[in-house]
Amino acid sequence: MEIRKAAVIGAGVMGGGIAAQIANAGIPVVLLDRAADGPNRRAIVEGALDRLLKAEPAAFMSKANARRITLGTVEDDLSLIADADWIVEVVLEDRAVKRALYDKLETARKAGSIVSSNTSTIPLAELTAGMPERFRRDFLITHFFNPPRYMRLLEIVAGPQTRAEALRALTEFADLKLGKGVVLAKDRPGFVANRIGVYWMQAAVVEALELGLTVEEADAIMGRPLGFPKTGVFGLMDLVGLDLQPHVDRSMAAALPQDDPYHAIRRDFPLLAKLIAEGYTGRKGKGGFYRLDRSSVGRVKQAIDLKTGAYRTAEKPRFESIEAKKTGGLRALLSHPDKGGHYAWRVLAGTLSYAASLVPEIADTVEDVDRAMRLGYNWSQGPFELIDALGAGWFADRLKSEGRPVPPLLARAAEAGGFYRVEDGALQQLSPEGRYVPVPRAPGVLLLSDVKRASKPVKRNGSASLWDVGDGVFCVEFTSKMNSLDQDTMAMLKSAIDHVKKSGGKGLVIHNEGDNFSVGANIGLALFAANIAMWPAIDDLAREGQQVLKALKYAPFPVAGAPSGMALGGGCEILLHCDVVQAHAETYMGLVEVGVGIIPGWGGCKEMLARMAQRPGAPKGPMPAVVQAFETIGTAKVSRSAAEAKEIGYLRPTDRITMNRERLLADAKARVLELAEGYQPPTPTEYRLPGPSGARALEMAVEGFVASGKATTHDRTVSFALAQVLSGGGTDVTRVLGEDDVLALEREQFGRLVRMAPTLARIEHMLETGKPLRN
């Protein structure tokens, strides 16, 4: 079966978010909620859609996707679900409410449609008890994480009578269409991620209280140093809502058997109850463990004192244990005698050993558990990967030395040498029976990390590598911090072009598995060069970048960009020069150079001029494309999705989008192979630009913004430079310019701006704060 239409019952935060993501996948969806009192019975569901359209972060990848949602009420419009292939229930976590709804669904749904619940607390067996066999065969639990668009984990629980075809169809749909990493969980309390995540959060709070740490100290340890979200635990509770915590704790405690270790770490937390009662429910309320004090000059971040309950200015704690980790790894942090080391050990000792005791109770494999924690809680490593990083033997020995229990699975891993190993270039995991078995990959998944385990790079330097990904296709991977771009990056791109040509390769993919494709040029290096007046080096980098990206565009083989995350500045310019882009749905593209007082210098201006002129339905004449490019670059527009990147013009209508990030490299490789047969490089672009009259028209618009205080004098300088490039300098519409002419204008204006003191101040401010300076 194939899911071509869906229905969501329950238009709250989760239900609305699920409906929006289904619409993002291109699937029509019915969204129903209860009828409102009063003349407009659809007021509740209409309000939900209105909130979705205004949500931040955005629920829709394009606002146009909202048109795929049909609204209605359960009382009046249940017939709308009659042709739905999948119906997902997202109503109140109350057994009676859900069962009453299921009885109604049975009268309206078609035979063979799949029904699922987004419950996070009620076992499947209880939801289906007493329901007809037809219902039980079509029923599953689909546990999304909030917000549904951005959280990649989907836990699916099938019952003993669930049809295999229903499970297959829903798993495939979630993977390919919704972009989810699917974990098949057992019908146990908390499923996988919350079973471990709730224990971890409880342990982190309890140990912080018992060791006398401040919230800042706890979060400094329980965040990035351990590979957990940078919020730490108290910041995470503020993010998800303090009022949710008591409910989660009570639900988990009520569902777990009395001998479960979770009961041993439960504590009364009077301060939490006090905060909730006074409206301090986290970021959605007046604050939580942290708040912003707006009463003084500016905004001051404050943290609560866990002992007194009073707020004070937040501090930035420093721990020797964190410094020790930088050179000695995770074990050095957990072994350090300072209180940060003690805290990290006590939390991880409990959490990781708890996780090791739960396989195969909650999931069949350790990789399922690790995957759930990576995708559901944004851990960089799952619990079993963390144990391997520490050393399974070392971890088990320390637990034993402190009189803590060592779960049997952990004991097997300690004896075998770890939970994972690489055998003949393939990743294997330790099974609950103590045997190493392959870590499976779904058909159509090609991970660069797997390629790297099985081979050595064709070429490598300090900022990038070249890999053979099979079938004559090669992949350039950026490897610098945040994948920023420098001379080594350009050298690797140039070398990759030469290698593919000489080896008779079929094409090239530019891709990496970092959080971001690239944040752009390494402005720190640029600032260093400027501070010692190495202007020729800066000019050379601009010229070299232009030459390399032009060579990329006109290479005798197809080049596919495969971005995910941020593709900003120079990263965006690289993609603009690719034959095709296969973008992950969550790609955020933008030419943002004006934010640091410069303009795109690697061909971004010329490519945007061409894109705007070639867009379907674009007005003719020299000015429309210039105006659109000026607005896009001059306001540093950044797309909030790949779909929006198409709307802005950073992506072509023919570029494609991959919903599941794990399929991105395989899709990009397939695109290269698709184009390789009979490939011809593109025809060089010619430009007819308006010249000084066009530049003056753009400058007049900028003067209005400066006069009204919406732009600074340096903004004017940067905008005037951009106007000179986009209008063609001293040309006129009777002359035909080539790409080299526009590139020369880019270099000239880029070199002039980068030498200005206000630009250097902006670059320095950006490096120090991560925020643009308006000077």
Side-chain angles (χ1 to χ4, degrees):
M1 67 177 292
E2 185 177 349
I3 296 173
R4 296 188 178 91
K5 180 179 178 180
V8 177
I9 317 297
V13 172
M14 282 299 295
I18 293 168
Q21 185 63 1
I22 295 171
N24 288 334
I27 304 297
V29 55
V30 172
L31 180 60
L32 305 181
D33 207 307
R34 63 181 177 84
D37 297 330
N40 183 5
R41 291 172 62 80
R42 293 185 179 179
I44 293 173
V45 72
E46 288 174 357
L49 181 58
D50 186 55
R51 288 190 295 273
L52 285 171
L53 286 165
K54 298 175 182 177
E56 291 294 341
F60 291 108
M61 293 177 180
S62 167
K63 288 191 183 297
N65 293 343
R67 293 198 292 267
R68 296 194 180 101
I69 298 181
T70 300
L71 304 180
T73 70
V74 173
E75 293 84 350
D76 303 335
D77 304 297
L78 200 59
S79 61
L80 291 173
I81 75 167
D83 58 346
D85 302 299
W86 174 34
I87 303 160
V88 55
E89 166 267 300
V90 200
V91 300
L92 189 67
E93 283 289 272
D94 182 288
R95 290 167 179 78
V97 172
K98 291 179 185 292
R99 288 296 296 270
L101 176 62
Y102 297 163
D103 289 338
K104 294 177 182 178
L105 296 182
E106 274 299 271
T107 67
R109 73 184 184 96
K110 68 180 181 180
S113 60
I114 300 169
V115 181
S116 72
S117 173
N118 188 58
T119 183
S120 59
T121 61
I122 305 175
L124 182 146
E126 294 185 18
L127 292 175
T128 58
M131 292 298 294
E133 181 182 355
R134 181 184 96 136
F135 183 87
R136 296 197 302 272
R137 286 172 51 79
D138 294 337
F139 187 81
L140 308 97
I141 286 174
T142 48
H143 182 219
F144 288 82
F145 281 66
N146 194 37
R149 171 182 163 183
Y150 300 95
M151 298 303 293
R152 291 171 58 200
L153 177 62
L154 176 64
E155 294 174 325
I156 296 183
V157 181
Q161 292 180 274
T162 303
R163 289 183 295 116
E165 175 61 13
L167 177 60
R168 184 208 60 77
L170 193 52
T171 300
E172 186 176 279
F173 180 81
D175 171 357
L176 296 173
K177 297 294 187 180
L178 301 183
K180 297 302 176 187
V182 175
V183 169
L184 300 181
K186 305 288 185 69
D187 192 17
R188 302 294 299 154
F191 308 130
V192 179
N194 281 345
R195 180 72 174 270
I196 295 168
V198 170
Y199 182 101
W200 164 66
M201 293 178 69
Q202 182 77 9
V205 170
V206 168
E207 297 295 356
L209 293 171
E210 293 189 355
L211 288 171
L213 272 69
T214 65
V215 294
E216 305 100 300
E217 288 173 334
D219 286 348
I221 293 291
M222 209 51 53
R224 283 177 171 164
L226 297 179
F228 299 154
K230 66 180 181 180
T231 57
V233 66
F234 290 103
L236 181 59
M237 291 172 69
D238 276 0
L239 180 64
V240 300
L242 269 60
D243 52 335
L244 183 63
Q245 306 309 311
H247 170 73
V248 170
D249 172 56
R250 287 192 299 270
S251 297
M252 189 67 75
L256 291 171
Q258 285 304 307
D259 61 350
D260 192 274
Y262 181 75
H263 294 289
I265 63 168
R266 295 187 72 207
R267 300 285 190 280
D268 286 334
F269 195 181
L271 178 58
L272 178 62
K274 178 175 180 291
L275 286 170
I276 295 170
E278 295 176 357
Y280 287 90
T281 54
R283 296 188 187 182
K284 65 183 179 181
K286 297 187 292 184
F289 293 106
Y290 298 96
R291 73 175 184 183
L292 287 176
D293 178 19
R294 296 178 174 86
S295 60
S296 56
V297 178
R299 300 192 305 172
V300 178
K301 185 178 181 179
Q302 295 184 324
I304 203 164
D305 188 307
L306 293 174
K307 295 178 180 177
T308 67
Y311 283 101
R312 50 167 175 72
T313 301
E315 300 173 347
K316 290 188 176 181
R318 304 199 180 279
F319 288 105
E320 290 182 6
S321 51
I322 294 177
E323 294 301 313
K325 193 234 176 190
K326 295 177 181 177
T327 54
L330 186 61
R331 191 188 298 185
L333 194 164
L334 269 64
S335 301
H336 199 278
D338 72 6
K339 60 182 177 180
H342 284 300
Y343 178 56
W345 165 252
R346 286 172 64 165
V347 175
L348 287 196
T351 303
L352 301 185
S353 60
Y354 185 58
S357 73
L358 293 175
V359 176
E361 178 194 340
I362 61 173
D364 286 331
T365 71
V366 297
E367 204 275 333
D368 283 337
V369 174
D370 282 343
R371 181 176 169 84
M373 295 310 295
R374 291 194 306 267
L375 300 183
Y377 274 74
N378 284 331
W379 289 13
S380 61
Q381 293 179 297
F384 298 101
E385 292 167 316
L386 285 168
I387 292 173
D388 275 5
L390 290 168
W394 177 88
F395 184 64
D397 287 344
R398 184 163 176 186
L399 289 176
K400 194 181 302 180
S401 72
E402 295 183 1
R404 296 174 182 261
V406 178
L409 184 59
L410 175 57
R412 293 191 191 102
E415 183 178 344
F419 286 101
Y420 295 95
R421 73 176 186 185
V422 176
E423 189 74 12
D424 296 328
L427 185 63
Q428 296 182 337
Q429 60 180 321
L430 190 68
S431 71
E433 296 76 30
R435 294 180 291 104
Y436 283 104
V437 296
V439 172
R441 302 293 186 214
V445 169
L446 174 62
L447 300 181
L448 190 56
S449 54
D450 285 343
V451 173
K452 292 163 70 173
R453 287 189 190 95
S455 61
K456 293 182 179 179
V458 178
K459 296 176 181 290
R460 171 181 283 167
N461 64 26
S463 298
S465 300
L466 180 66
W467 298 92
D468 185 339
V469 295
D471 300 312
V473 180
F474 295 84
C475 177
V476 170
E477 175 197 26
F478 304 147
T479 57
S480 58
K481 184 177 180 181
M482 298 187 75
N483 295 323
S484 59
L485 309 172
D486 55 23
Q487 293 95 330
D488 280 351
T489 313
M490 292 300 157
M492 182 55 67
L493 287 170
K494 183 178 180 181
S495 182
I497 295 169
D498 292 339
H499 180 83
V500 177
K501 283 193 291 189
K502 291 176 181 177
S503 67
K506 293 184 177 179
L508 184 67
V509 174
I510 304 174
H511 168 75
N512 62 75
E513 293 176 349
D515 290 338
N516 298 298
F517 177 75
S518 173
V519 295
N522 187 332
I523 59 174
L525 289 178
L527 181 63
F528 173 77
N531 284 337
I532 58 175
M534 288 179 60
W535 304 117
I538 294 176
D539 294 338
D540 287 346
L541 180 58
R543 182 177 290 102
E544 180 186 5
Q546 289 182 344
Q547 292 172 348
V548 169
L549 296 195
K550 185 179 177 184
L552 196 71
K553 179 177 179 178
Y554 294 110
F557 50 79
V559 179
S564 60
M566 290 189 290
L568 305 178
C572 181
E573 288 179 289
I574 288 173
L575 296 173
L576 291 173
H577 286 82
C578 293
D579 291 288
V580 292
V581 176
Q582 185 76 42
H584 180 234
E586 299 298 348
T587 296
Y588 317 118
M589 291 180 68
L591 295 171
V592 297
E593 287 85 350
V594 296
V596 290
I598 54 177
I599 62 171
W602 284 342
C605 295
K606 74 173 178 66
E607 288 302 310
M608 288 306 293
L609 279 171
R611 293 288 175 94
M612 295 306 183
Q614 295 163 4
R615 296 184 81 179
K620 303 301 180 184
M623 275 305 287
V626 171
V627 171
Q628 289 184 349
F630 183 77
E631 179 187 344
T632 299
I633 300 171
T635 57
K637 282 186 181 179
V638 176
S639 72
R640 297 193 293 178
S641 67
E644 194 171 274
K646 282 193 173 190
E647 295 170 357
I648 293 171
Y650 292 132
L651 294 180
R652 308 175 188 88
T654 53
D655 289 327
R656 297 176 185 171
I657 297 172
T658 297
M659 292 295 285
N660 193 324
R661 188 174 178 182
E662 292 180 349
R663 296 180 176 275
L664 184 58
L665 178 56
D667 288 351
K669 176 184 171 182
R671 196 81 197 278
V672 166
L673 293 173
E674 179 185 316
L675 295 173
E677 191 69 31
Y679 175 78
Q680 292 293 323
T683 302
T685 306
E686 294 182 342
Y687 302 85
R688 290 184 182 273
L689 300 173
S693 61
R696 185 57 194 149
L698 299 175
E699 290 166 0
M700 289 173 63
V702 173
E703 291 286 12
F705 283 106
V706 175
S708 64
K710 295 178 180 178
T712 69
T713 54
H714 193 57
D715 290 332
R716 174 171 54 194
T717 301
V718 176
S719 297
F720 281 17
L722 179 62
Q724 283 294 311
V725 175
L726 296 177
S727 61
T731 191
D732 62 62
V733 294
T734 65
R735 289 180 56 195
V736 176
L737 301 183
E739 292 186 35
D740 288 342
D741 297 314
V742 183
L743 288 174
L745 290 168
E746 272 191 3
R747 285 198 309 276
E748 176 189 350
Q749 296 300 332
F750 175 88
R752 186 173 68 85
L753 290 171
V754 81
R755 286 166 167 78
M756 294 182 175
T759 293
L760 298 178
R762 287 189 178 192
I763 293 174
E764 188 169 9
H765 183 79
M766 177 66 78
L767 287 170
E768 290 177 354
T769 68
K771 299 176 182 178
L773 173 69
R774 308 308 297 170
N775 59 346

